[in-house]
Amino acid sequence: MKIAVIGAGLTGLKCAMELKEFAKIKVFEKLSVGGLLSSFCNGYCIEKFYHHAFKSDTELIKLIGKFGLKSKLVWKTVKVGIAKNGKIYSLSTPLEILKYPYMSLIDKLKLAIFTIKSRKRDFEKFDEFNAIESIRNELGSSLLENFFMPMLKAKFGENASDVSFAWLLARVAIRSNRKLRGEEIGYLRHGFHQLLEKMCEDIEIINKDAKIKLEGKWTVNGEDFDAIVFTAPLPELGDLKDKLGIPEIRYQSSICALISLKKSISDIYWLNVEGASFGAIIEHTNFMPFEDYGEHLVYLASYTMPDSEFFRASDSELEKLFLKDLEKFGVKRGDLNWIKIFRAKFSSPIYEKGFLKKITPYRVANGFYIAGMTSRPNYPERSMNGSLLAGKEVAEILRKDFGLI
Ligand SMILES: Cc1cc2nc3c(=O)[nH]c(=O)nc-3n(C[C@H](O)[C@H](O)[C@H](O)COP(=O)(O)OP(=O)(O)OC[C@H]3O[C@@H](n4cnc5c(N)ncnc54)[C@H](O)[C@@H]3O)c2cc1C
């Protein structure tokens, strides 16, 4: 039996790993192996887009263990904060949150109660509700403006106003399960490329854009296959998307500038930023040791739409814009060693109203399967763990369908 897997991101690679002993597998990848998790190497390797793991990422942790990389998986409680009106506020401990001047004590209490309650709420009931309107009704305008809007804008940029209340509740519930000192996050020291390299072992990867057709049989670039597992973003399906009856899902794009600095910006790992061309400053070397790189590495992260002027701007235009906004954080031209711009056109679905009904089933037609960012394990947050689970689950279904036990 011959199976084509489209996309060599985590979903595609995991699916190929699960199927390789039962069938002949060919993985097609049009850009970089690893997809959104791919790295930039410069004496060391670092992800093009910031990545960290959570303690609840059981599938990811299991895979890291399977490949003998467990000793490289390090956990750390990092500092988080917000930059507002030219000042940086650490919001890492209960005391720091109590001292934060842009929220009243009543709002802080309301937020704490909302957070605890969100773990018990049936978020699916709120799929048709708008997050911003619901928060305004439930918690009032000041909590919306001072807490939820910066969070929504850092995650969804200009699409913040379309996000569903179901997404917000589910997200608050999974991210609120933290210790008093903050949440521990994990990283594969020296980079997740080490995991990708292990996953690729014994897998045939063809570095080509896959053109899929149904001509009596499924074909990819003219070659016949018994089954296809499509793990790329849905817009990459082209006309086939409508023929297969897949509902329209909007995606947003990511732009990440990875910069090397001669000095650190602050001691905060994740800093949400208001009023700049980027929504967050993520200082990687406040998480991993400086010695691993010999320079301060910082991501400037922003989300936008694939057809926006911002996404289409040239690298040099973006560099200028980012460096100008960085001056507000005391970073001057002379502090910069280098800057690299990375873009992902379809970096995440937008979890807007009604999204839950559009989650893609694994089997969409005879011999045609879809798994990836729009699969159930990637709700409410697309993640490395969710993609590994999607890759595993789609392989299980395909094996049952074809009796590959
Ligand atoms: C800015 C950013 C930060 C993130 N941070 C985290 C984090 O901290 N923690 C976490 O757990 N997750 C994080 N993620 C999410 C995580 O990276 C993804 O959920 C996961 O890597 C997606 O894997 P995937 O295989 O489903 O999709 P992708 O990685 O998108 O893989 C799909 C692959 O298909 C390929 N492809 C597309 N079209 C074709 C075609 N026609 N033919 C052949 N190949 C094709 C693409 O090039 C791509 O390589 C982040 C993502 C981004 C963008």
Side-chain angles (χ1 to χ4, degrees), residues 33-119:
V33 170
L36 295 175
L37 185 62
S38 60
S39 285
F40 157 70
C41 295
N42 176 29
Y44 52 78
C45 290
I46 178 149
E47 295 71 32
K48 295 172 186 166
F49 303 98
Y50 57 87
H51 273 80
H52 48 251
F54 297 99
K55 283 268 163 98
S56 53
D57 289 346
T58 46
E59 198 62 34
L60 177 66
I61 296 168
K62 206 163 76 189
L63 191 63
I64 288 171
K66 175 184 153 96
F67 287 132
L69 294 167
K70 203 156 189 177
S71 61
K72 297 209 118 193
L73 182 60
V74 286
W75 296 96
K76 204 174 154 188
T77 307
V78 287
K79 288 185 106 179
V80 296
I82 185 164
K84 213 170 157 81
N85 297 332
K87 223 180 142 192
I88 292 178
Y89 298 91
S90 175
L91 295 175
S92 311
T93 64
L95 189 65
E96 284 171 347
I97 295 170
L98 273 175
K99 282 200 214 149
Y100 180 56
Y102 289 96
M103 263 160 68
S104 67
L105 192 60
I106 303 255
D107 275 353
K108 285 169 191 165
L109 272 173
K110 279 203 293 194
L111 181 61
I113 294 166
F114 174 80
T115 304
I116 294 164
K117 267 176 46 187
S118 67
R119 290 182 211 153

XYZ file of all heavy atoms in Angstrom, residues 33-119:
694
model
N 11.373 21.352 6.230
C 10.994 20.240 7.107
C 10.850 20.803 8.526
O 11.673 21.601 8.969
C 12.064 19.117 7.058
C 11.812 18.076 8.143
C 12.078 18.476 5.680
N 9.764 20.428 9.203
C 9.495 20.981 10.540
C 8.402 22.032 10.496
O 7.813 22.366 11.521
N 8.107 22.565 9.308
C 7.024 23.549 9.160
C 7.207 24.718 10.109
O 8.281 25.328 10.172
N 6.192 25.010 10.897
C 6.245 26.161 11.812
C 7.294 25.973 12.904
O 7.688 26.931 13.568
C 4.863 26.384 12.459
C 3.751 26.786 11.493
C 2.410 26.860 12.231
C 4.052 28.121 10.828
N 7.739 24.738 13.079
C 8.757 24.478 14.116
C 10.172 24.449 13.522
O 11.136 24.168 14.221
C 8.436 23.135 14.813
C 9.292 22.720 15.999
C 9.173 23.731 17.154
C 8.914 21.339 16.509
N 10.306 24.799 12.243
C 11.652 24.704 11.650
C 12.578 25.770 12.242
O 12.117 26.748 12.829
C 11.569 24.821 10.124
O 11.010 26.058 9.778
N 13.872 25.551 12.066
C 14.865 26.397 12.738
C 15.728 27.169 11.764
O 15.832 26.830 10.580
C 15.788 25.533 13.601
O 15.104 25.135 14.745
N 16.373 28.166 12.313
C 17.390 28.933 11.601
C 18.711 28.555 12.273
O 18.804 28.584 13.504
C 17.054 30.422 11.781
C 18.210 31.348 11.601
C 18.768 31.546 10.344
C 18.734 32.049 12.681
C 19.832 32.418 10.183
C 19.792 32.922 12.532
C 20.350 33.104 11.277
N 19.707 28.156 11.472
C 20.968 27.710 12.088
C 22.101 28.670 11.748
O 22.255 29.087 10.597
C 21.290 26.291 11.634
S 20.060 25.105 12.215
N 22.851 29.007 12.787
C 23.879 30.049 12.654
C 24.982 29.719 13.673
O 25.180 30.436 14.631
C 23.187 31.390 12.986
C 24.124 32.566 12.983
O 25.116 32.560 12.266
N 23.812 33.572 13.805
N 25.612 28.563 13.499
C 26.542 28.080 14.541
C 25.771 27.298 15.585
O 26.217 26.273 16.070
N 24.602 27.742 15.936
C 23.640 27.010 16.763
C 22.330 27.035 15.983
O 22.217 27.754 14.989
C 23.454 27.698 18.136
C 23.127 29.168 18.019
C 21.836 29.588 17.692
C 24.121 30.142 18.189
C 21.535 30.923 17.532
C 23.805 31.495 18.030
C 22.511 31.870 17.704
O 22.200 33.190 17.533
N 21.351 26.268 16.443
C 20.045 26.323 15.762
C 19.005 26.874 16.723
O 19.000 26.530 17.912
C 19.611 24.935 15.307
S 20.605 24.310 13.944
N 18.143 27.707 16.208
C 17.036 28.248 17.018
C 15.801 28.327 16.140
O 15.889 28.616 14.936
C 17.403 29.624 17.640
C 16.210 30.161 18.430
C 17.854 30.643 16.598
C 16.557 31.013 19.599
N 14.636 28.061 16.732
C 13.385 28.055 15.976
C 13.147 29.435 15.344
O 13.421 30.463 15.965
C 12.194 27.709 16.896
C 12.225 26.316 17.484
C 13.294 26.126 18.540
O 13.603 27.095 19.260
O 13.855 25.015 18.633
N 12.606 29.436 14.132
C 12.280 30.717 13.470
C 11.186 31.432 14.245
O 11.130 32.660 14.261
C 11.806 30.448 12.038
C 12.866 29.849 11.152
C 12.241 29.438 9.822
C 13.242 28.694 8.975
N 12.578 28.006 7.850
N 10.286 30.659 14.846
C 9.207 31.219 15.673
C 9.382 30.655 17.081
O 9.645 29.456 17.230
C 7.832 30.815 15.123
C 7.627 31.224 13.678
C 7.827 30.317 12.654
C 7.275 32.524 13.357
C 7.662 30.687 11.327
C 7.108 32.912 12.028
C 7.307 31.987 11.011
N 9.246 31.530 18.104
C 9.438 31.108 19.494
C 8.618 29.841 19.788
O 7.477 29.718 19.332
C 9.006 32.235 20.463
C 7.569 32.646 20.240
C 6.527 31.987 20.882
C 7.247 33.635 19.332
C 5.197 32.310 20.640
C 5.923 33.962 19.072
C 4.912 33.294 19.724
O 3.614 33.611 19.455
N 9.168 28.915 20.528
C 8.428 27.703 20.921
C 8.781 27.291 22.338
O 9.953 27.294 22.701
C 8.758 26.535 19.970
C 7.887 26.512 18.759
N 8.110 27.316 17.675
C 6.759 25.803 18.480
C 7.167 27.100 16.769
N 6.330 26.183 17.231
N 7.778 26.936 23.101
C 8.018 26.320 24.398
C 6.916 25.283 24.648
O 5.874 25.311 23.995
C 8.075 27.369 25.525
C 6.955 28.335 25.510
N 7.121 29.658 25.159
C 5.644 28.175 25.765
C 5.960 30.268 25.219
N 5.042 29.396 25.581
N 7.180 24.396 25.598
C 6.230 23.318 25.898
C 5.571 23.582 27.241
O 6.042 24.416 28.025
C 6.975 21.997 25.936
N 4.468 22.871 27.481
C 3.785 22.957 28.773
C 3.784 21.568 29.421
O 3.883 20.555 28.716
C 2.347 23.439 28.582
C 2.282 24.830 28.004
C 2.048 25.028 26.650
C 2.494 25.938 28.807
C 2.021 26.318 26.114
C 2.469 27.220 28.283
C 2.233 27.405 26.939
N 3.635 21.555 30.758
C 3.669 20.281 31.476
C 2.547 19.341 31.020
O 2.645 18.129 31.156
C 3.555 20.536 32.991
C 4.869 21.028 33.615
C 5.692 19.851 34.125
C 7.134 20.180 34.389
N 7.523 20.464 35.721
N 1.467 19.925 30.486
C 0.337 19.093 30.039
C 0.573 18.505 28.631
O -0.277 17.769 28.131
C -0.931 19.946 30.027
O -0.700 21.125 29.274
N 1.710 18.789 28.017
C 1.983 18.295 26.652
C 2.469 16.842 26.695
O 3.636 16.539 26.361
C 3.048 19.175 25.982
C 2.528 20.558 25.620
O 1.297 20.766 25.630
O 3.355 21.445 25.313
N 1.575 15.949 27.068
C 2.017 14.574 27.348
C 2.558 13.854 26.099
O 3.523 13.104 26.185
C 0.867 13.747 27.959
O -0.292 14.003 27.186
C 0.583 14.153 29.388
N 1.935 14.104 24.953
C 2.378 13.409 23.732
C 3.782 13.874 23.331
O 4.635 13.079 22.929
C 1.363 13.715 22.611
C 1.398 12.784 21.435
C 1.065 11.342 21.785
O 0.238 11.092 22.686
O 1.655 10.456 21.147
N 4.020 15.162 23.480
C 5.335 15.735 23.137
C 6.412 15.200 24.090
O 7.498 14.775 23.659
C 5.245 17.269 23.228
C 6.526 18.054 22.989
C 7.004 17.908 21.549
C 6.323 19.544 23.300
N 6.075 15.192 25.375
C 7.059 14.749 26.372
C 7.381 13.255 26.165
O 8.532 12.835 26.238
C 6.519 15.034 27.807
C 6.369 16.554 27.997
C 7.429 14.441 28.883
C 5.585 16.971 29.233
N 6.330 12.492 25.814
C 6.525 11.053 25.560
C 7.476 10.836 24.370
O 8.392 10.018 24.423
C 5.154 10.426 25.265
C 5.063 8.951 25.579
C 3.628 8.487 25.667
C 3.008 8.341 24.284
N 1.585 8.092 24.282
N 7.262 11.613 23.329
C 8.091 11.455 22.118
C 9.542 11.845 22.395
O 10.480 11.182 21.938
C 7.501 12.324 20.992
C 8.068 12.076 19.601
C 7.761 10.655 19.132
C 7.502 13.075 18.597
N 9.714 12.921 23.161
C 11.073 13.364 23.514
C 11.774 12.248 24.294
O 12.943 11.937 24.048
C 10.990 14.699 24.317
C 10.600 15.834 23.366
C 12.298 14.998 25.042
C 10.284 17.153 24.037
N 11.016 11.601 25.195
C 11.562 10.483 25.978
C 11.917 9.305 25.078
O 12.992 8.722 25.189
N 11.028 8.986 24.152
C 11.233 7.837 23.239
C 12.545 7.971 22.460
O 13.231 6.999 22.188
C 10.031 7.773 22.281
C 10.105 6.737 21.179
C 8.879 6.885 20.276
C 9.153 6.399 18.875
N 8.772 5.069 18.580
N 12.890 9.211 22.114
C 14.109 9.440 21.331
C 15.348 9.681 22.213
O 16.386 10.129 21.719
C 13.910 10.626 20.379
C 13.011 10.316 19.212
C 11.980 11.172 18.860
C 13.204 9.159 18.461
C 11.153 10.897 17.775
C 12.379 8.866 17.380
C 11.355 9.731 17.037
N 15.219 9.449 23.501
C 16.376 9.588 24.399
C 16.796 11.035 24.625
O 17.957 11.303 24.950
N 15.860 11.973 24.459
C 16.216 13.394 24.612
C 15.717 13.982 25.933
O 15.787 15.194 26.137
C 15.632 14.208 23.439
C 16.211 13.914 22.051
C 15.337 14.542 20.961
C 17.633 14.446 21.939
N 15.208 13.115 26.816
C 14.552 13.629 28.036
C 15.479 14.518 28.869
O 15.035 15.526 29.434
C 14.030 12.463 28.880
C 12.910 12.923 29.774
C 12.013 11.812 30.184
C 10.797 12.410 30.879
N 9.862 11.399 31.249
N 16.771 14.166 28.910
C 17.691 14.952 29.753
C 17.859 16.365 29.194
O 18.330 17.261 29.882
C 19.043 14.259 29.843
O 19.592 14.172 28.548
N 17.487 16.565 27.945
C 17.620 17.905 27.339
C 16.363 18.755 27.541
O 16.348 19.942 27.206
C 17.889 17.774 25.842
C 19.187 17.066 25.537
C 19.771 17.533 24.256
C 21.117 18.179 24.473
N 21.599 18.903 23.329
N 15.291 18.122 28.034
C 14.045 18.870 28.232
C 14.110 19.589 29.573
O 14.109 18.952 30.623
C 12.854 17.905 28.182
C 11.468 18.523 28.328
C 11.196 19.535 27.221
C 10.387 17.436 28.295
N 14.210 20.915 29.519
C 14.358 21.669 30.776
C 13.089 22.484 31.041
O 12.439 22.971 30.116
C 15.589 22.619 30.735
C 16.869 21.828 30.874
C 15.624 23.454 29.474
N 12.766 22.601 32.322
C 11.566 23.324 32.740
C 11.973 24.520 33.573
O 12.873 24.414 34.408
C 10.642 22.421 33.560
C 10.113 21.283 32.748
C 10.623 20.015 32.687
C 9.013 21.317 31.830
N 9.898 19.251 31.803
C 8.906 20.021 31.267
C 8.105 22.306 31.423
C 7.928 19.692 30.325
C 7.126 21.972 30.491
C 7.045 20.690 29.948
N 11.293 25.629 33.372
C 11.660 26.823 34.113
C 10.423 27.704 34.297
O 9.583 27.793 33.392
C 12.700 27.582 33.271
C 13.587 28.479 34.086
C 14.671 29.091 33.227
C 15.110 30.393 33.851
N 16.015 31.145 33.025
N 10.346 28.337 35.469
C 9.293 29.340 35.652
C 9.851 30.661 35.145
O 10.889 31.125 35.622
C 8.928 29.484 37.144
O 8.618 28.183 37.627
C 7.732 30.396 37.335
N 9.199 31.224 34.158
C 9.727 32.450 33.547
C 8.895 33.652 33.988
O 7.766 33.499 34.461
C 9.690 32.354 32.001
C 10.738 31.407 31.487
C 8.306 31.979 31.512
N 9.466 34.832 33.785
C 8.723 36.044 34.136
C 7.884 36.491 32.943
O 8.320 36.396 31.788
C 9.700 37.162 34.510
C 10.373 36.923 35.849
C 11.236 38.089 36.229
C 10.576 38.879 37.317
N 11.321 40.023 37.794
N 6.671 36.960 33.244
C 5.811 37.512 32.197
C 5.456 38.941 32.585
O 5.550 39.304 33.761
C 4.518 36.684 32.005
C 4.831 35.284 31.525
C 3.709 36.615 33.296
N 5.062 39.740 31.620
C 4.726 41.116 31.962
C 4.041 41.848 30.831
O 3.687 41.264 29.794
N 3.852 43.115 31.047
C 3.195 43.950 30.043
C 3.914 45.302 29.975
O 4.367 45.820 31.003
C 1.682 44.101 30.361
C 0.970 44.869 29.243
C 1.418 44.773 31.697
C -0.548 44.727 29.284
N 4.037 45.820 28.765
C 4.619 47.162 28.595
C 3.479 48.111 28.253
O 2.756 47.891 27.278
C 5.649 47.153 27.482
N 3.289 49.119 29.079
C 2.163 50.038 28.896
C 2.648 51.464 29.137
O 3.382 51.701 30.110
C 1.089 49.678 29.933
C -0.314 49.909 29.437
C -1.296 49.304 30.436
C -2.646 49.950 30.321
N -3.496 49.484 29.276
N 2.277 52.359 28.274
C 2.646 53.769 28.386
C 4.131 53.953 28.727
O 4.502 54.689 29.637
C 1.786 54.474 29.451
C 0.323 54.465 29.046
O 0.022 54.435 27.843
N -0.577 54.465 30.011
N 4.971 53.224 27.998
C 6.421 53.401 28.123
C 7.031 52.741 29.352
O 8.229 52.927 29.605
N 6.248 51.954 30.111
C 6.808 51.315 31.302
C 6.581 49.803 31.265
O 5.562 49.342 30.751
C 6.111 51.905 32.545
C 7.088 52.199 33.656
C 6.447 52.761 34.882
C 7.202 52.117 36.035
N 6.641 52.263 37.294
N 7.557 49.069 31.792
C 7.431 47.607 31.820
C 6.953 47.165 33.197
O 7.521 47.572 34.216
C 8.791 46.947 31.485
C 9.151 47.219 30.016
C 8.771 45.458 31.777
C 10.497 46.670 29.579
N 5.898 46.351 33.237
C 5.380 45.825 34.509
C 5.526 44.315 34.499
O 5.000 43.656 33.599
C 3.897 46.167 34.680
C 3.636 47.647 34.736
C 3.362 48.369 33.572
C 3.685 48.341 35.950
C 3.141 49.739 33.604
C 3.468 49.716 35.993
C 3.207 50.399 34.822
O 2.987 51.756 34.858
N 6.217 43.769 35.495
C 6.270 42.317 35.636
C 4.965 41.884 36.304
O 4.509 42.500 37.276
C 7.472 41.922 36.503
O 7.428 40.533 36.724
N 4.334 40.842 35.753
C 3.079 40.333 36.330
C 3.251 38.849 36.646
O 2.385 38.029 36.351
C 1.930 40.538 35.337
C 1.553 41.991 35.012
C 0.496 42.047 33.925
C 1.055 42.719 36.251
N 4.373 38.513 37.272
C 4.728 37.110 37.447
C 4.271 36.529 38.781
O 4.084 35.321 38.897
C 6.241 36.932 37.328
O 6.698 37.586 36.173
N 4.131 37.368 39.787
C 3.746 36.848 41.108
C 2.441 37.513 41.552
O 2.104 38.605 41.068
C 4.832 37.189 42.156
O 4.896 38.623 42.271
C 6.198 36.652 41.777
N 1.727 36.906 42.511
C 0.484 37.527 42.987
C 0.736 38.949 43.494
O -0.077 39.854 43.271
C 0.044 36.608 44.122
C 0.653 35.291 43.810
C 1.943 35.576 43.120
N 1.891 39.181 44.156
C 2.180 40.514 44.684
C 2.332 41.533 43.539
O 1.792 42.642 43.591
C 3.457 40.469 45.536
C 3.744 41.751 46.304
C 2.650 42.004 47.347
C 5.115 41.669 46.998
N 3.036 41.132 42.489
C 3.214 42.041 41.340
C 1.856 42.346 40.698
O 1.604 43.471 40.288
C 4.157 41.411 40.306
C 5.616 41.464 40.735
C 6.544 40.646 39.831
O 6.046 39.831 39.021
O 7.761 40.820 39.961
N 1.007 41.331 40.626
C -0.314 41.557 40.027
C -1.113 42.514 40.922
O -1.770 43.436 40.433
C -1.057 40.213 39.808
C -0.289 39.384 38.774
C -2.497 40.436 39.366
C -0.735 37.957 38.616
N -1.001 42.320 42.244
C -1.720 43.218 43.174
C -1.271 44.666 43.017
O -2.053 45.599 43.114
C -1.485 42.774 44.617
C -2.450 41.725 45.153
C -2.041 41.288 46.542
C -3.896 42.257 45.162
N 0.045 44.836 42.719
C 0.595 46.193 42.615
C 0.334 46.845 41.252
O 0.544 48.044 41.093
C 2.112 46.129 42.825
C 2.530 45.985 44.285
C 3.973 46.436 44.359
C 4.819 45.738 45.330
N 6.207 45.616 45.004
N -0.085 46.072 40.267
C -0.246 46.598 38.899
C -1.271 47.740 38.912
O -2.424 47.542 39.327
C -0.699 45.451 37.980
C -0.900 45.832 36.545
C 0.134 46.412 35.814
C -2.113 45.620 35.898
C -0.034 46.754 34.486
C -2.293 45.954 34.564
C -1.258 46.523 33.868
O -1.437 46.873 32.553
N -0.878 48.941 38.469
C -1.739 50.106 38.687
C -2.921 50.245 37.720
O -3.815 51.043 37.968
C -0.772 51.282 38.478
C 0.293 50.764 37.587
C 0.408 49.307 37.856
N -2.928 49.464 36.626
C -3.987 49.675 35.636
C -5.231 48.818 35.885
O -6.110 48.726 35.041
C -3.454 49.423 34.218
C -2.501 50.509 33.787
C -1.131 50.349 33.931
C -2.975 51.711 33.281
C -0.254 51.349 33.559
C -2.110 52.721 32.901
C -0.746 52.532 33.054
O 0.110 53.540 32.692
N -5.287 48.141 37.046
C -6.482 47.366 37.379
C -6.835 47.611 38.838
O -5.943 47.581 39.705
C -6.209 45.868 37.192
C -6.675 45.322 35.853
S -5.858 43.774 35.453
C -6.520 42.697 36.652
N -8.118 47.851 39.099
C -8.525 48.089 40.495
C -8.516 46.750 41.250
O -8.526 45.675 40.631
C -9.931 48.673 40.526
O -10.837 47.691 40.058
N -8.549 46.844 42.567
C -8.556 45.629 43.385
C -9.795 44.783 43.075
O -9.752 43.558 42.981
C -8.513 46.017 44.872
C -8.239 44.882 45.825
C -6.899 44.221 45.542
C -8.286 45.367 47.268
N -10.915 45.493 42.881
C -12.179 44.791 42.553
C -12.008 44.015 41.250
O -12.396 42.852 41.154
C -13.334 45.814 42.388
C -13.482 46.637 43.652
C -14.617 45.153 41.900
C -14.656 46.306 44.523
N -11.395 44.654 40.240
C -11.188 43.979 38.949
C -10.281 42.766 39.119
O -10.492 41.726 38.491
C -10.570 44.942 37.929
C -11.639 45.784 37.238
O -12.837 45.505 37.470
O -11.299 46.717 36.490
N -9.265 42.907 39.961
C -8.343 41.782 40.164
C -9.081 40.608 40.812
O -8.877 39.448 40.431
C -7.158 42.222 41.027
C -6.174 43.086 40.226
C -5.153 43.759 41.088
C -4.408 44.800 40.253
N -3.634 45.743 41.028
N -9.970 40.929 41.744
C -10.760 39.871 42.389
C -11.716 39.231 41.382
O -11.841 38.000 41.318
C -11.580 40.458 43.535
C -10.879 40.518 44.888
C -11.727 41.283 45.891
C -10.612 39.090 45.387
N -12.371 40.087 40.592
C -13.315 39.576 39.586
C -12.584 38.647 38.612
O -13.090 37.596 38.222
C -13.934 40.753 38.803
C -15.073 41.415 39.547
C -16.045 42.167 38.644
C -15.548 43.359 37.945
N -16.479 44.267 37.330
N -11.356 39.041 38.248
C -10.564 38.245 37.308
C -10.201 36.888 37.922
O -10.288 35.850 37.255
C -9.289 39.014 36.929
C -8.372 38.326 35.932
C -9.086 38.088 34.606
C -7.116 39.170 35.684
N -9.832 36.915 39.199
C -9.452 35.657 39.868
C -10.653 34.701 39.906
O -10.520 33.507 39.602
C -8.956 35.958 41.280
N -11.832 35.238 40.233
C -13.034 34.388 40.311
C -13.398 33.853 38.916
O -13.690 32.676 38.734
C -14.214 35.177 40.938
C -13.879 35.493 42.410
C -15.527 34.395 40.850
C -14.770 36.533 43.055
N -13.325 34.737 37.917
C -13.630 34.339 36.537
C -12.701 33.201 36.087
O -13.119 32.219 35.486
C -13.463 35.556 35.617
C -13.608 35.258 34.151
C -14.860 35.130 33.576
C -12.487 35.095 33.338
C -14.996 34.857 32.220
C -12.609 34.822 31.989
C -13.871 34.703 31.430
N -11.418 33.348 36.446
C -10.419 32.351 36.039
C -10.720 30.994 36.675
O -10.728 29.964 35.988
C -9.005 32.836 36.463
O -8.803 34.119 35.890
C -7.924 31.895 36.005
N -11.010 31.009 37.960
C -11.280 29.736 38.653
C -12.556 29.104 38.086
O -12.602 27.910 37.788
C -11.395 29.963 40.183
C -10.025 30.407 40.735
C -11.874 28.704 40.906
C -10.070 31.015 42.122
N -13.579 29.953 37.866
C -14.864 29.426 37.371
C -14.744 28.881 35.938
O -15.446 27.952 35.554
C -15.929 30.533 37.411
C -16.713 30.492 38.718
C -17.725 31.612 38.885
C -18.605 31.913 37.726
N -19.438 33.128 37.962
N -13.843 29.479 35.157
C -13.762 29.092 33.739
C -13.355 27.620 33.589
O -13.669 26.983 32.586
C -12.784 29.994 32.983
O -11.483 29.761 33.438
N -12.678 27.077 34.614
C -12.264 25.660 34.529
C -13.458 24.724 34.565
O -13.378 23.588 34.125
C -11.325 25.318 35.688
C -9.979 25.985 35.545
C -9.061 25.573 36.682
N -8.160 26.662 36.976
C -7.604 26.891 38.149
N -7.851 26.111 39.162
N -6.796 27.915 38.319
